Amino acid sequence: MNGVLPGQSIEALILAGQISAGEPFADGQVQPASLDLRLGRTAFRVRASFLAGGGASVAERLAHFEMHKIDLSDGAVLEKNCVYLVPLQETLDLPDDVSAVANAKSSTGRLDLLTRVITDGGVEFDRIARGYCGPLYAEICPRSFSVLVRPGMRLNQIRFRRGRSVLDDDDLRALHERAGLVSGEAVISEGLGFSVDLRPEGTRLVGWRAKPHAGVIDLDRIGFYRPADFWEPVEAEDGRIILDPGAFYILVSREAVHIPPQYAAEMAPYVAMVGEFRVHYAGFFDPGFGHAEAGGQGARGVLEVRCHEAPFVLEHGQIVGRLVYERMTERPETLYGAGIASSYQGQGLKLSKHFRAP
């Protein structure tokens, strides 16, 4: 059956040696529909982002762009606006009918860490071809904050597919009728549209804006940092805000979304022409996100927004992205939020797990 492989199928790939690692796999590394990827022991500061390209290995290309090597064993700081390449602990030897796609984990995206997976012979970021055999690398560029990293940290996640089984709009409408995918009206056009909430009930706070000259964030410190040291609160005026060029914002969707157990979803941009901004999305939504059986009653999507060249007015209820739903090959044995460490089940406007509650 075509679709996204659940956690039990990922574990079968590990047992078969088709996913391997230099270190034993860690508890919680296999998620309901994805696998967390771990940093290795070395980072390379490089002059620029690059792809290996057809017929070339990442190691061959690295020789042209490497500036210096950094040992991560005792922790090292990756500095803001610099580009690094880190070999990951996991390697792949995929079956001929299995491909993969990678993405930043939720906490990574909420820190404005641009991190993408590249492969030998790869011509796209975060896309791993069917039957790929070889190493994985994370390209990391901290955009808003410098970060302290160590080996084994999990900044990226990977999802495996057999074929592809994206729901078309008719199937998505039928699923919404059965399962209630979103609170309020469902805007369906090449996916399930979601909009920004700039009129929250009971508060004027609509988001957070990253401070331009904040300190270093140690990614092992959970619930440690004061939001005020890194973020400025954003309040809306009559349901609108003006995005500043180059600034990074944490906002929240107006709709509460729901991923039924036999489906997975991925965030995608709505259209490039809607304005001078993009939603920087850590885009995997696991089966069970916002699902009552997994302890949720719908959960709103956190939006990581960066403005481009010109100031842009963002209005309450403006469509800013869409969720593309895809079938699982089978129901996962474990759902998001059900007995696993799921940081964002039932979330509203929420910073990454490294920050205390405001």
Side-chain angles (χ1 to χ4, degrees), residues 109-284:
R110 295 182 200 202
L111 292 176
D112 198 20
L113 274 174
L114 177 62
T115 176
R116 305 179 287 192
V117 170
I118 63 175
T119 63
D120 290 345
V123 295
E124 293 182 277
F125 292 107
D126 286 334
R127 297 295 185 267
I128 295 93
R130 287 181 300 168
Y132 175 75
C133 181
L136 301 173
Y137 300 83
E139 177 197 279
I140 304 169
C141 180
R143 301 294 306 278
S144 290
F145 312 115
S146 297
V147 293
L148 179 65
V149 301
R150 299 177 182 84
M153 283 184 171
R154 310 175 194 179
L155 306 187
N156 304 75
Q157 56 191 347
I158 189 169
R159 183 173 279 180
F160 300 91
R161 286 191 177 106
R162 182 170 291 110
R164 190 164 171 82
S165 56
V166 171
L167 272 64
D168 62 23
D169 287 350
D170 289 339
D171 288 338
L172 199 54
R173 290 188 188 96
L175 180 60
H176 175 64
E177 288 295 320
R178 296 195 308 271
L181 300 180
V182 64
S183 60
E185 181 184 359
V187 178
I188 295 176
S189 176
E190 297 184 358
L192 179 69
F194 58 88
S195 62
V196 62
D197 184 9
L198 298 180
R199 293 186 186 273
E201 294 184 9
T203 179
R204 295 183 60 189
L205 180 72
V206 299
W208 300 91
R209 170 181 160 149
K211 289 186 172 182
H213 305 295
V216 174
I217 295 176
D218 182 339
L219 298 185
D220 271 341
R221 291 188 164 178
I222 308 303
F224 179 82
Y225 296 100
R226 291 195 323 139
D229 292 336
F230 294 84
W231 302 93
E232 299 169 349
V234 176
E235 296 184 351
E237 181 178 336
D238 295 326
R240 67 174 64 93
I241 60 174
I242 298 177
L243 303 176
D244 290 325
F248 178 74
Y249 299 82
I250 296 291
L251 304 173
V252 70
S253 71
R254 184 175 60 161
E255 301 84 5
V257 300
H258 164 216
I259 313 298
Q262 290 178 294
Y263 297 85
E266 186 173 353
M267 262 195 204
Y270 192 61
V271 288
M273 293 76 73
V274 296
E276 290 292 326
F277 69 94
R278 80 170 260 149
V279 178
H280 174 132
Y281 24 81
F284 288 162

Side-chain angles (χ1 to χ4, degrees), residues 40-45 68-72 78 84-87:
R41 297 187 173 276
T42 304
F44 298 91
R45 170 78 165 90
H68 61 268
K69 185 186 297 187
I70 303 166
D71 185 357
L72 302 183
L78 305 185
Y84 301 88
L85 190 73
V86 181

Side-chain angles (χ1 to χ4, degrees), residues 17-22 25 37 88-93 132 134-136:
Q18 293 165 318
I19 305 172
S20 57
F25 286 90
L37 300 173
L88 296 170
Q89 293 185 19
E90 289 73 30
T91 59
L92 301 180
D93 185 5
Y132 175 75
L136 301 173

Side-chain angles (χ1 to χ4, degrees), residues 20-67:
S20 57
E23 301 285 340
F25 286 90
D27 291 342
Q29 193 174 346
V30 177
Q31 297 292 313
S34 61
L35 174 72
D36 291 347
L37 300 173
R38 299 170 296 176
L39 300 181
R41 297 187 173 276
T42 304
F44 298 91
R45 170 78 165 90
V46 293
R47 290 186 286 135
S49 172
F50 66 90
L51 290 163
S57 70
V58 173
E60 289 167 347
R61 300 302 308 279
L62 180 61
H64 297 288
F65 301 112
E66 177 186 347
M67 296 174 67

